[in-house]
Amino acid sequence: MTSDTDLRGTKRRTSDSEASMLATLATVATVSAQRLPSEHKRRRDSELLAFDARTRMPAADVVAELLEHNTNDDNILSKIIQPKAFEADYRAGRLGAFILLACMANNVMYSRHEAVRRAGFVTATRQLVDQAKALAPAALEEPSVRNCQALLMLAIAYMHLGKLDVASHYSSITLRTLQQLGVCTMDNSDCGDADGWLRASWLEREQLRRLVWGGFTVDTFLSLMLHTAPYVLVDLSGVNRPCAPNMWYVGNDNLESLSFPRNAAPCYMQPQPSDSEYMAALKALKVNGMRWSLNGNTVQLNFAVLGNAILRGISDPQAVPAQVDRLVISASKSVTDWLAPLPHMPAQPSRAELTLTLMVSSASLCLWSIITPYLFSRTRPHAETPPELREMGSEHGLDRLLADYISAAHSHYTHAQLMVGACEDGSMPPMFAAYSMMVCGGMFAACAHAAPSERLRQRFGRMVHFFAKQSRTCAVRSLLFQRALDEIRAVADMARHLPRRLDTRQLLQIRDTLLPGAIEAAVNKRFAQFVEPIRPILRAAACPEHGAEPARPRCGVIPLTSNLCAIFGQALGRSGFRLGRAASEAPSDDSASKSPPPPPSESSTQSPTEKCAKDGPSALPAKDKLPNYKLSFTAISSLMIGLTVATKDESFFDFLPPDPEPSQASSPKSGSSLGNILN
């Protein structure tokens, strides 16, 4: 018989043995958990690019492969640095690590090197940028043309990393340094030759011109993305426009040079006897630019100059509104006249025609994305409204503005479908491609929610699906496309909390409440804060006045979906209320044969007006339940377009071409929600 003491000892030993075993297992688990991250980190580190500690350069074969892409005409660097001269300077050892690292960081997206692909395009770009930025302070202390080239390349590389604020900082420094060096007056004969620019070779002077124009274009694009005034005021009157591509790629002004690569991509910009009518018109658009009347003379402007002027005008609080109105109206006419001579695209366009078409389409969309929202916000009649704006402020004028904007975005969608791989392989400049995807995708996401019929909602949903898929694919190479994808998703999410159907009076109330002035005043607001002032208007839209017949939708009967319940309150959804369905509507023929419905409850017998009065503000979504996105200029524009579309019937969209039968491979399934499509 076992004593109590022996039993307690046995239990204690058993308990100690179990505790020891558990402690051992915990130790093993802890060691394994520590070993797994370290092994993962070691494996991840082995995939990264390796850099020399003394020179800060990667392996020689990586350097050679990345620098080869300077000759790629699709690469923006080939417009800033002369490829042959750059290669000659590199071979002679005249280039420092700063400009080489900045150049390689921009060329990563075109790389086919195994080490770069193993590390990942974005990771390799970030590694090279980190190495280059460590050398930037020393370059700032020694201003030179080479260092300005490197700073501009570093700004473009930061754009590909999605850090637009940092990129804007470096582009501004580049332009200010060039101004201090006197480069911006190099072609102004009144300034003399104190800095020796006239004694430089033709190639050196041309590189300086392209550096100034390149910095100006990058600064304008960043201002467009951030919707701010350009940080540096640059006077380009003292710098001639860059020369023709054939002169640039030869490296001298001898047009008959035998060294000109006639089979290279820049050659297609020159008129050729074999050009089709469409290609000849495209080249004329690209080379001639937009016509502009200045002091009685007609000058030619490109996208950067016109966009820079508009952004600077509408962002200046001291600017005279009437002068800005005339500027924007003239810009609208210039863009329209610029695109007017372009004929219809051939049924089977060549790759060169598609590439150039997408460039022209993206440039025009960039300008329309500033012009159209401004004109919409300025069409409210007041004493100082110019006659042109009064005409645009009419119902017909506003409809034409909206139709032209949506039509331009749809044309870009049609062209982009024909050249799906253009952004994936770098054939399209990432700056313009990402921005046009963001503008089109956000606009179509708002339209997909507010369109008057299921057919149109599905059509716009397919467009959103296309741009979201393209943005997600291209984000592997440049995070500019990730910004585009994030905004498309954000607009689609925010649009769910806005009404699908409005009348004109409600739209004007919402517009005047949300945007009493310019759109710029609402930029960077949170969405919940942005829509808070229109909660009473939404309540009025949900609850018509007592005794009045609810307004019928213009196209069919729209059931109160979960999205509308989120706006007008769950109580309406539980009561089975349907927008536009009158209480005295006659039942269908087969309703009599069905079993009678259960007796109505107290809540279901209440009218929508009574229910709204009883529930009060709680019938609307709580402020903390709304998405908390920070609003950009383009996101606000897309949401306002969606609200405007909510007042239109199906006949308004007759300007769109017939919808082809969607293929099963490229279109989402019928009935798929927009959120599922984007995710």
Side-chain angles (χ1 to χ4, degrees):
M1 185 173 181
T2 306
S3 64
D4 293 341
T5 305
D6 294 339
L7 185 60
R8 286 195 298 270
T10 302
K11 290 181 177 180
R12 186 182 302 111
R13 286 192 297 273
T14 303
S15 177
D16 293 344
S17 176
E18 292 176 354
S20 176
M21 182 175 61
L22 291 175
T24 302
L25 291 175
T27 303
V28 171
T30 302
V31 172
S32 300
Q34 293 174 349
R35 183 181 296 121
L36 285 176
S38 62
E39 291 178 355
H40 175 73
K41 183 177 183 300
R42 187 161 44 275
R43 184 169 62 253
R44 182 71 184 122
D45 290 344
S46 66
E47 297 175 352
L48 300 177
L49 296 180
F51 291 86
D52 185 89
R54 183 179 60 85
T55 63
R56 294 185 174 272
M57 301 293 289
D61 58 332
V62 176
V63 174
E65 198 272 341
L66 289 176
L67 293 182
E68 285 179 359
H69 300 289
N70 288 340
T71 58
N72 184 358
D73 182 61
D74 299 323
N75 188 352
I76 190 175
L77 297 192
S78 66
K79 315 294 190 299
I80 300 174
I81 57 174
Q82 212 285 331
K84 290 184 178 180
F86 190 88
E87 182 180 2
D89 290 340
Y90 170 65
R91 301 297 179 191
R94 292 190 290 267
L95 299 179
F98 183 39
I99 191 170
L100 289 174
L101 289 167
C103 179
M104 288 187 289
N106 283 276
N107 293 345
V108 164
M109 67 172 59
Y110 307 103
S111 178
R112 297 178 298 273
H113 197 283
E114 182 61 29
V116 174
R117 292 180 174 270
R118 187 169 58 249
F121 293 106
V122 174
T123 302
T125 302
R126 185 178 292 112
Q127 282 189 274
L128 289 163
V129 166
D130 289 341
Q131 295 292 332
K133 73 179 182 182
L135 303 174
L140 294 175
E141 295 178 0
E142 300 178 2
S144 66
V145 174
R146 281 294 189 202
N147 285 339
C148 286
Q149 287 179 327
L151 288 170
L152 181 58
M153 294 179 194
L154 192 58
I156 300 173
Y158 269 114
M159 280 198 302
H160 294 318
L161 294 178
K163 299 181 178 181
L164 302 186
D165 292 332
V166 183
S168 181
H169 171 70
Y170 279 106
S171 68
S172 301
I173 291 177
T174 304
L175 288 176
R176 290 189 182 278
T177 305
L178 290 172
Q179 285 180 325
Q180 293 170 357
L181 292 174
V183 178
C184 295
T185 59
M186 58 178 294
D187 292 317
N188 191 343
S189 57
D190 296 335
C191 297
D193 191 27
D195 296 309
W197 301 120
L198 295 179
R199 293 190 295 272
S201 67
W202 178 89
L203 182 57
E204 291 171 339
R205 290 170 58 81
E206 184 61 25
Q207 285 197 99
L208 290 173
R209 295 188 188 100
R210 287 175 174 265
L211 180 57
V212 174
W213 281 94
F216 180 80
T217 302
V218 170
D219 190 56
T220 300
F221 174 78
L222 288 168
S223 302
L224 180 67
M225 288 285 288
L226 300 171
H227 201 77
T228 58
Y231 291 106
V232 182
L233 179 61
V234 182
D235 183 9
L236 296 175
S237 61
V239 185
N240 294 340
R241 292 181 63 179
C243 67
N246 55 350
M247 297 168 61
W248 170 246
Y249 284 94
V250 170
N252 57 56
D253 56 356
N254 181 10
L255 298 181
E256 302 301 327
S257 174
L258 296 179
S259 61
F260 175 60
R262 296 188 180 278
N263 58 346
C267 186
Y268 77 78
M269 287 302 301
Q270 304 305 316
Q272 302 292 333
S274 58
D275 288 343
S276 63
E277 178 187 1
Y278 182 75
M279 191 62 178
L282 278 175
K283 290 180 178 179
L285 289 181
K286 185 70 175 175
V287 174
N288 296 336
M290 304 174 193
R291 293 185 173 273
W292 189 270
S293 179
L294 183 65
N295 298 329
N297 299 320
T298 301
V299 297
Q300 294 174 342
L301 304 180
N302 64 358
F303 147 79
V305 176
L306 190 56
N308 192 286
I310 298 173
L311 284 171
R312 189 171 296 282
I314 65 179
S315 302
D316 185 3
Q318 305 299 325
V320 180
Q323 295 179 355
V324 180
D325 291 342
R326 286 195 294 269
L327 170 68
V328 178
I329 292 172
S330 299
S332 175
K333 293 179 179 177
S334 295
V335 178
T336 303
D337 294 343
W338 181 53
L339 298 174
L342 189 63
H344 290 290
M345 180 185 287
Q348 295 181 344
S350 65
R351 183 178 180 84
E353 290 174 334
L354 280 173
T355 302
L356 200 52
T357 300
L358 284 175
M359 290 182 183
V360 171
S361 176
S362 297
S364 62
L365 268 177
C366 289
L367 294 174
W368 284 126
S369 68
I370 316 171
I371 293 172
T372 304
Y374 177 85
L375 293 177
F376 262 103
S377 65
R378 291 288 293 166
T379 49
R380 300 181 181 91
H382 54 84
E384 300 180 357
T385 302
E388 298 89 343
L389 276 182
R390 288 186 181 274
E391 181 183 354
M392 292 180 180
S394 63
E395 183 178 359
H396 174 70
L398 291 175
D399 285 352
R400 188 173 66 248
L401 274 176
L402 181 62
D404 289 345
Y405 194 24
I406 296 178
S407 180
H410 184 271
S411 297
H412 185 78
Y413 161 73
T414 304
H415 300 151
Q417 277 187 310
L418 299 175
M419 199 173 179
V420 173
C423 299
E424 299 176 19
D425 61 10
S427 300
M428 268 289 292
M431 294 190 301
F432 301 106
Y435 185 78
S436 57
M437 286 183 183
M438 182 173 67
V439 170
C440 296
M443 182 196 310
F444 292 147
C447 293
H449 171 76
S453 67
E454 182 64 23
R455 179 185 64 84
L456 282 171
R457 287 195 288 271
Q458 288 187 5
R459 183 175 184 179
F460 284 120
R462 290 194 298 272
M463 300 178 194
V464 178
H465 170 73
F466 172 79
F467 284 115
K469 181 179 179 181
Q470 288 297 297
S471 299
R472 188 185 304 111
T473 302
C474 300
V476 175
R477 296 177 181 267
S478 173
L479 292 184
L480 274 175
F481 295 97
Q482 185 63 46
R483 290 180 65 96
L485 178 61
D486 292 343
E487 176 150 322
I488 294 173
R489 287 173 169 170
V491 171
D493 192 16
M494 290 184 289
R496 293 189 306 108
H497 299 273
L498 296 176
R500 274 185 170 170
R501 294 283 85 194
L502 292 170
D503 58 36
T504 304
R505 177 184 58 83
Q506 292 169 339
L507 172 64
L508 293 178
Q509 286 181 325
I510 291 175
R511 187 189 70 172
D512 293 341
T513 304
L514 293 181
L515 301 172
I519 296 180
E520 287 76 12
V523 173
N524 291 331
K525 278 187 178 180
R526 296 291 180 178
F527 177 70
Q529 177 190 3
F530 178 67
V531 299
E532 179 65 20
I534 65 172
R535 291 168 67 86
I537 302 176
L538 294 180
R539 187 184 299 111
C543 305
E545 294 181 1
H546 182 67
E549 182 182 359
R552 292 179 178 270
R554 296 193 180 187
C555 182
V557 177
I558 303 176
L560 193 65
T561 61
S562 59
N563 293 338
L564 294 177
C565 288
I567 302 168
F568 302 138
Q570 296 292 335
L572 297 179
R574 288 194 299 270
S575 65
F577 179 71
R578 293 170 67 86
L579 289 179
R581 182 180 294 277
S584 60
E585 186 173 353
S588 59
D589 295 337
D590 59 345
S591 60
S593 62
K594 297 181 180 179
S595 59
S601 61
E602 179 183 356
S603 60
S604 63
T605 57
Q606 294 177 342
S607 67
T609 307
E610 294 170 345
K611 193 69 181 174
C612 182
K614 179 180 178 181
D615 292 347
S618 62
L620 296 175
K623 185 176 180 180
D624 57 353
K625 300 296 184 182
L626 294 173
N628 202 30
Y629 299 109
K630 183 181 288 188
L631 293 170
S632 65
F633 179 85
T634 49
I636 298 173
S637 302
S638 298
L639 293 176
M640 297 308 297
I641 287 173
L643 289 171
T644 307
V645 167
T647 65
K648 306 301 179 185
D649 55 20
E650 194 165 5
S651 63
F652 171 78
F653 296 92
D654 290 343
F655 63 87
L656 292 176
D659 186 18
E661 186 69 22
S663 63
Q664 296 296 327
S666 61
S667 62
K669 294 181 180 180
S670 177
S672 299
S673 67
L674 192 58
N676 293 334
I677 292 173
L678 291 176
N679 294 324

